[in-house]
Amino acid sequence: MPRLRLERSKSLSGNGARLPTRASVSYLRERIRSKAGGYTTLLKFLVVGAIGFVVNQFFLFLLYDTPVVWFLPKAETQADILFVTVGDVRLLIASIVAVEISIVSNFLFHDRWTFRDRQKKPLPIRFAQFNLTSFGSPVISVATINVLTPTFGI
């Protein structure tokens, strides 16, 4: 492994501190790019996940806490759905819609940015596969929100 050797230019101040030359900065930049290259997909994946979280929170707030969707039941309206009494139907609807919107957002970012160089199947098939493989997370998210919020007021 070659040693990093920085060429130095003239001192900028009287204390002997020197700045590296352009060649050294270029070399250092290329070394960082080559080392980070293996982590590019991981970093993109993490960024998309963070964007998905923000999208989910934004739409949950928009659908539950604002009057934008006036046609939804009022907050804390109870209803019997199948064999379960739901303590807050508006929260259930808002959380399901917010999670699905964030899944669509994540799919689009992953498809167009994170994994754009992978072999492509038709778009509807890729979307259906992504939605199915993302099934566990929304179930946990919706269940957690709809159990913790009415129970503990979180």
Side-chain angles (χ1 to χ4, degrees):
M1 181 171 181
R3 293 190 93 185
L4 177 62
R5 187 173 171 201
L6 295 177
E7 299 173 21
R8 304 222 180 244
S9 62
K10 292 193 259 182
S11 174
L12 293 178
S13 63
N15 66 6
R18 296 173 186 251
L19 290 176
T21 63
R22 279 188 203 173
S24 299
V25 171
S26 288
Y27 173 75
L28 195 56
R29 186 180 310 129
E30 288 305 313
R31 293 278 298 168
I32 290 170
R33 281 187 186 153
S34 70
K35 292 289 183 188
Y39 298 106
T40 305
T41 302
L42 175 63
L43 292 173
K44 287 179 180 180
F45 189 82
L46 294 173
V47 167
V48 171
I51 291 170
F53 173 78
V54 170
V55 167
N56 185 25
Q57 294 303 306
F58 172 77
F59 279 99
L60 185 60
F61 171 76
L62 184 71
L63 297 171
Y64 186 73
D65 290 331
T66 65
V68 171
V69 284
W70 48 267
F71 53 86
L72 287 179
K74 293 191 184 299
E76 299 180 16
T77 301
Q78 291 187 353
D80 292 328
I81 300 175
L82 298 175
F83 305 109
V84 179
T85 299
V86 177
D88 194 343
V89 177
R90 184 180 184 107
L91 181 62
L92 178 65
I93 295 168
S95 59
I96 290 171
V97 172
V99 164
E100 187 58 33
I101 290 171
S102 69
I103 288 173
V104 171
S105 165
N106 285 356
F107 169 75
L108 293 173
F109 276 110
H110 282 315
D111 191 59
R112 300 294 176 203
W113 185 47
T114 309
F115 305 117
R116 71 173 174 240
D117 56 341
R118 303 239 171 132
Q119 185 178 4
K120 302 284 185 178
K121 296 177 184 173
L123 184 71
I125 292 173
R126 289 194 316 269
F127 179 69
Q129 286 177 333
F130 188 83
N131 228 339
L132 288 173
T133 58
S134 300
F135 182 73
S137 176
V139 168
I140 293 168
S141 177
V142 169
T144 302
I145 288 170
N146 286 282
V147 169
L148 292 180
T149 302
T151 305
F152 299 109
I154 296 175

